[in-house]
Amino acid sequence: MTFKTAPTKVARAVSQLLQAGILKTPPVWLRPMQRHPPGPSLVRAPSAFDTRGTLKVKRRKAVRPPAIVYPEDALRRRFYKDHPNELSRPRMLMERDGHNRRDWTRLCLDGEVPTGEHVVQYQLYLMSTGLSEQEAYVKATAEFYVVRAREDTERRIAEQEARHFGAVPIKSAIEVGLEKEETALERSREVLKLRNEM
């Protein structure tokens, strides 16, 4: 036999059973239920279900924080759009990238290797001095090109001097692997030639 009654009447019904002596000891949940009575129904209102009997879920818009936008973001996007090769340029982990630098009156300090971030920060500084975004971009990239051209020239001169003094350029891992493969193929040809002669 099933005991069907509203949740609000359960505590009263059990109290009556205790008073009548049908139940000898009160259930553990009785006192908390009397102090904190349940709602009128344990089942959701019928309007919360659709025609198939599944629960309708009201979707609320997720609260999203506003996007954080810095003025450098647009400058950075433009620089790397115009100079995509800068993203693939190998960088040393110890290379200073200008994040801790405060003085941007020059593109590079002595001994610094310019990166895209240097150009962006320098352009931002130039814009703060009154130049337009386009004028600052042209000036910053022009100085960047000069520094990169000087680096390339220094590298080429250093390679030429090294060759002049007898230095042998270091072979890449691919070149070394190809040479080993070629010698192995040459040996196998010689072995096949000897077997055919026998």
Side-chain angles (χ1 to χ4, degrees), residues 49-64:
F49 294 91
D50 63 9
T51 55
R52 293 173 299 186
T54 55
L55 183 64
K56 292 180 190 175
V57 179
K58 289 185 180 180
R59 296 186 184 236
R60 295 181 182 175
K61 273 192 169 180
V63 179
R64 294 180 188 230

Side-chain angles (χ1 to χ4, degrees), residues 1-182:
M1 183 174 153
T2 318
F3 181 72
K4 291 183 181 179
T5 186
T8 53
K9 297 179 183 176
V10 172
R12 189 176 344 139
V14 171
S15 298
Q16 290 173 351
L17 290 172
L18 284 167
Q19 288 174 354
I22 297 173
L23 288 176
K24 303 295 180 202
T25 58
V28 178
W29 50 263
L30 182 61
R31 295 195 99 196
M33 191 175 221
Q34 289 171 335
R35 286 188 192 136
H36 308 284
S41 174
L42 296 176
V43 181
R44 292 181 186 262
S47 63
F49 294 91
D50 63 9
T51 55
R52 293 173 299 186
T54 55
L55 183 64
K56 292 180 190 175
V57 179
K58 289 185 180 180
R59 296 186 184 236
R60 295 181 182 175
K61 273 192 169 180
V63 179
R64 294 180 188 230
I68 299 173
V69 180
Y70 294 99
E72 300 97 303
D73 294 343
L75 305 179
R76 194 175 289 116
R77 273 192 298 275
R78 179 178 180 190
F79 177 79
Y80 285 116
K81 182 181 176 192
D82 293 347
H83 305 86
N85 291 338
E86 285 299 313
L87 289 171
S88 61
R89 181 179 169 267
R91 303 220 4 229
M92 293 175 45
L93 292 176
M94 299 301 293
E95 191 173 288
R96 294 187 299 175
D97 57 2
H99 285 298
N100 296 327
R101 195 170 138 189
R102 303 233 184 269
D103 178 26
W104 287 103
T105 54
R106 294 186 298 162
L107 177 66
C108 295
L109 298 177
D110 294 332
E112 269 189 328
V113 178
T115 63
E117 191 60 30
H118 283 82
V119 176
V120 169
Q121 294 299 327
Y122 184 54
Q123 181 185 2
L124 195 64
Y125 164 75
L126 292 173
M127 288 168 59
S128 71
T129 62
L131 292 177
S132 70
E133 182 178 329
Q134 180 63 27
E135 292 169 336
Y137 181 74
V138 169
K139 183 172 173 48
T141 52
E143 289 185 30
F144 177 71
Y145 298 149
V146 168
V147 173
R148 276 297 161 86
R150 187 172 54 236
E151 281 179 357
D152 289 343
T153 305
E154 288 172 358
R155 183 180 39 78
R156 273 190 267 115
I157 290 171
E159 286 176 5
Q160 289 174 358
E161 286 177 351
R163 284 197 188 110
H164 178 72
F165 289 109
V168 179
I170 298 173
K171 295 177 182 174
S172 69
I174 294 173
E175 291 172 331
V176 171
L178 288 172
E179 284 181 4
K180 287 182 179 180
E181 185 178 325
E182 191 61 41

